Amino acid sequence: MIGRRIEQELLQEAMEKDRAQFIVVYGRRRVGKTFLVNEFFRNTFSFKHTAVSPLNEKLLPKRNLLKIQLKEFYYSLRSYGLPAGTPVPVDWFEAFHMLQDLLEVQTGTIGRRVVFLDELPWLDTPRSNFMQAFEHFCNDWVLSHRDMKLIACGSATSWILDKLVNNKGGLYGRVTLPLAVEPFTLGECRDFFNEGGYAMDDYDIVQTYMAVGGIPYYLDQMRRGMSVPQNFDALFYGRTAPLRDEFDRLFSSQFAHPGELQKIVMLLAERRSGYTREEISEKCGFSTGGGLTRMLSALGKNAFVTPYLPFGEKKIKYRLTDPFCMFYLKHVKDNQDASSYWQSQFNSPAVLSWAGLAFEEVCRAHILQIKNALGIGGVNTRESSWIVPATESEKGMQIDLIIDRDDRKICLCEIKFSMGKFAVGREYAEKIQERIRRTMEYTGGKKPVISVLITTYGVEKNEYTGRFQKVVTMEDLFK
């Protein structure tokens, strides 16, 4: 298994505890949650069930969803030893009582009984009373058996957090281990490609990360022996491309009302600095009440959108931070039928401009690695960008990344995606010096400013290189 060291350690600790465990595994679709659980337990489950996806309403009309879910649950019970001739349960209370009866006669594996319910949110169909039955099962039976280890898993992160981890009702405080599965880091992506025998250097991996992030399923779609542009064309463009319709599937699988959330995401894709809540409300036509709060919260919990406070401002903004969504909306949505789009465009000005912005997002996803490279891994910091509009007396300016440190310093970071070493010219050096001056002026000189360049292959040595006190390279991001 690539990565997931901490997750495996936490699961092992939970298995060794002499009391019942209710483990909740959650994370973005395609991030590898099911793979983690299956690989860790090596199919030593006392019972396992995967809910039926409700995405295809033509095959699964809503009025039949409850019956279909119960019937499939019944077949899973049968495969683990439920006696033949037992009738299909009529509701979830009866279904969980059948599971209890099945587990009662099992001795468990190496002193424990493990139940794995995958894609649990899909079982909670309208008017099914699923949650009431599940709560009763957990409280009345699971938690009263010391050897029971119940694992619930799902991609609908907002549902998982609201209904299980942060439940204020019958499951309050019952989750013993909430386990968030995060996308791979660049270093883990390198391990993944090396293990798979791909001929990819760090520059290739960064380009891949800029388009699909560290999502193992997307990375696994890459084909050996093909360049990055060839792979992008195969993944996204043409009628048979595997990720052609992934944007819609991504939202439909995680949200009850995907269209409204997609509308917000498409708006945020238009401006990399994001929008305030009021701007989102106005541009999307949503009221500023609880509905918008829930939508923004759901997008945040599912790691599509990140709220942040821009440096020097007082209003929180929301930014689109999911690499796949940004790439899809910028380059795929309107070009899906152009089967060789990326190979013909990857050196165009539009794509090179996108690459610069996408590399900034890669850097923001690796703040810990940047801090370690700067020697401030243990210092509390706040990260943001800073956009200063032009005035009659001064030009506007935009700073890619500001690291505001509790040790009374500010790192002013310039991020540059380059195919070779970055050359600092006189005009650019003067711009950096001006930004330092204005930042010092804004803070009243209370925090010294350290200028940092974050780039792929480092910097060419010349008379202007000294404008940057620190240089962080692509290699540092992989550590």
Side-chain angles (χ1 to χ4, degrees):
M1 191 188 304
I2 302 299
R4 310 308 187 207
R5 179 181 58 82
I6 294 176
E7 292 89 341
Q8 292 182 74
E9 290 176 357
L10 291 171
L11 285 171
Q12 186 60 43
E13 289 177 9
M15 292 304 104
E16 293 173 356
K17 289 181 179 177
D18 186 27
R19 61 187 178 93
Q21 296 291 299
F22 181 16
I23 300 164
V24 174
V25 182
Y26 62 96
R28 181 195 187 281
R29 172 179 162 91
R30 310 292 203 185
V31 80
K33 304 177 295 299
T34 301
F35 180 81
L36 168 66
V37 176
N38 284 337
E39 286 294 301
F40 180 84
F41 289 99
R42 296 289 181 179
N43 204 32
T44 57
F45 303 113
S46 299
F47 177 75
K48 176 186 174 182
H49 175 69
T50 301
V52 179
S53 170
L55 299 187
N56 194 333
E57 294 184 3
K58 292 181 180 178
L59 298 178
L60 299 174
K62 288 185 177 180
R63 65 180 181 275
N64 293 332
L65 271 178
L66 175 58
K67 287 184 178 180
I68 292 169
Q69 298 288 11
L70 284 169
K71 195 167 186 178
E72 290 302 314
F73 192 83
Y74 166 78
Y75 287 135
S76 292
L77 289 167
R78 286 285 304 275
S79 69
Y80 279 89
L82 185 74
T86 306
V88 177
V90 297
D91 57 32
W92 283 113
F93 283 96
E94 187 173 352
F96 281 116
H97 278 298
M98 287 182 178
L99 176 57
Q100 290 175 205
D101 293 340
L102 179 69
L103 294 170
E104 287 284 10
V105 299
Q106 295 186 8
T107 57
T109 304
I110 58 173
R112 68 187 184 217
R113 288 175 287 184
V114 180
V115 172
F116 179 28
L117 300 179
D118 199 9
E119 295 298 354
L120 189 76
W122 288 349
L123 298 178
D124 188 23
T125 55
R127 297 178 295 280
S128 66
N129 294 321
F130 171 79
M131 278 306 299
Q132 293 89 331
F134 182 68
E135 287 178 4
H136 183 72
F137 171 66
C138 292
N139 291 323
D140 183 62
W141 197 85
V142 171
L143 297 176
S144 64
H145 291 73
R146 302 173 73 89
D147 66 328
M148 274 300 305
K149 316 295 180 183
L150 172 61
I151 304 168
C153 183
S155 299
T157 300
S158 53
W159 188 99
I160 290 283
L161 293 175
D162 294 340
K163 296 290 185 75
L164 302 182
V165 177
N166 301 319
N167 187 288
K168 299 297 191 294
L171 290 179
Y172 177 77
R174 297 294 192 264
V175 175
T176 57
L177 174 61
L179 188 61
V181 180
E182 302 286 350
F184 281 164
T185 63
L186 281 172
E188 289 167 333
C189 289
R190 177 200 276 163
D191 293 340
F192 178 90
F193 287 124
N194 286 342
E195 180 71 19
Y198 292 82
M200 297 180 69
D201 62 11
D202 288 352
Y203 188 81
D204 289 334
I205 296 171
V206 168
Q207 288 184 84
T208 302
Y209 202 100
M210 292 192 302
V212 299
I215 305 301
Y217 175 82
Y218 300 158
L219 302 177
D220 197 41
Q221 301 298 307
M222 300 280 285
R223 293 168 59 183
R224 289 183 288 271
M226 292 174 60
S227 67
V228 172
Q230 287 174 322
N231 261 303
F232 282 10
D233 279 335
L235 286 176
F236 293 102
Y237 304 99
R239 288 180 297 175
T240 61
L243 300 185
R244 174 189 175 100
D245 301 318
E246 177 68 6
F247 182 75
D248 289 332
R249 289 195 296 263
L250 189 59
F251 283 83
S252 298
S253 66
Q254 300 184 83
F255 305 111
H257 304 287
E260 295 177 339
L261 298 173
Q262 284 178 316
K263 191 173 183 179
I264 294 175
V265 166
M266 287 188 282
L267 170 69
L268 296 181
E270 297 175 3
R271 187 197 290 175
R272 63 172 174 151
S273 62
Y275 291 93
T276 65
R277 177 192 175 89
E278 291 75 19
E279 289 172 330
I280 294 170
S281 171
E282 177 185 351
K283 292 180 180 295
C284 290
F286 300 142
S287 70
T288 57
L292 181 57
T293 298
R294 286 189 292 273
M295 286 189 281
L296 291 173
S297 175
L299 288 170
K301 290 173 181 176
N302 285 274
F304 292 112
V305 170
T306 301
Y308 78 107
L309 185 63
F311 187 79
E313 297 186 28
K314 296 182 179 180
K315 279 193 174 183
I316 289 175
K317 285 186 175 180
Y318 296 84
R319 295 176 57 252
L320 177 61
T321 49
D322 181 76
F324 169 82
C325 289
M326 289 188 284
F327 180 77
Y328 176 88
L329 292 172
K330 181 70 175 177
H331 292 291
V332 180
K333 181 173 178 289
D334 297 325
N335 302 290
Q336 289 177 318
D337 295 324
S339 58
S340 298
Y341 175 83
W342 201 254
Q343 292 179 76
S344 63
Q345 296 291 322
F346 77 98
N347 273 328
S348 67
V351 169
L352 293 176
S353 174
W354 163 82
L357 301 179
F359 185 59
E360 290 179 20
E361 294 301 328
V362 174
C363 292
R364 289 189 180 96
H366 291 78
I367 288 294
L368 178 60
Q369 287 80 1
I370 291 171
K371 288 176 61 175
N372 287 337
L374 295 174
I376 57 171
V379 179
N380 289 330
T381 60
R382 290 155 299 283
E383 297 81 37
S384 64
S385 57
W386 191 21
I387 299 175
V388 182
T391 65
E392 292 183 0
S393 58
E394 287 189 307
K395 295 180 179 180
M397 71 174 186
Q398 182 164 319
I399 297 173
D400 299 331
L401 175 65
I402 287 184
I403 303 177
D404 192 2
R405 300 160 42 174
D406 278 359
D407 60 353
R408 294 187 60 256
K409 284 184 172 56
I410 289 178
C411 289
L412 216 60
C413 303
E414 286 286 306
I415 302 174
K416 296 295 178 184
F417 184 71
S418 174
M419 295 180 67
K421 287 189 175 184
F422 182 75
V424 182
R426 186 180 73 176
E427 184 178 344
Y428 187 64
E430 291 174 352
K431 182 188 294 185
I432 298 304
Q433 197 63 35
E434 174 66 9
R435 290 178 178 181
I436 294 172
R437 180 192 68 77
R438 292 176 68 174
T439 305
M440 291 282 289
E441 186 178 89
Y442 179 82
T443 60
K446 295 178 181 178
K447 289 188 174 183
V449 174
I450 297 172
S451 56
V452 178
L453 175 65
I454 306 172
T455 188
T456 42
Y457 292 105
V459 62
E460 285 188 359
K461 298 294 183 182
N462 62 30
E463 59 186 301
Y464 305 111
T465 304
R467 288 291 186 269
F468 290 104
Q469 295 160 278
K470 295 278 188 177
V471 177
V472 176
T473 66
M474 176 173 60
E475 182 181 354
D476 295 314
L477 301 182
F478 279 83
K479 294 179 181 177

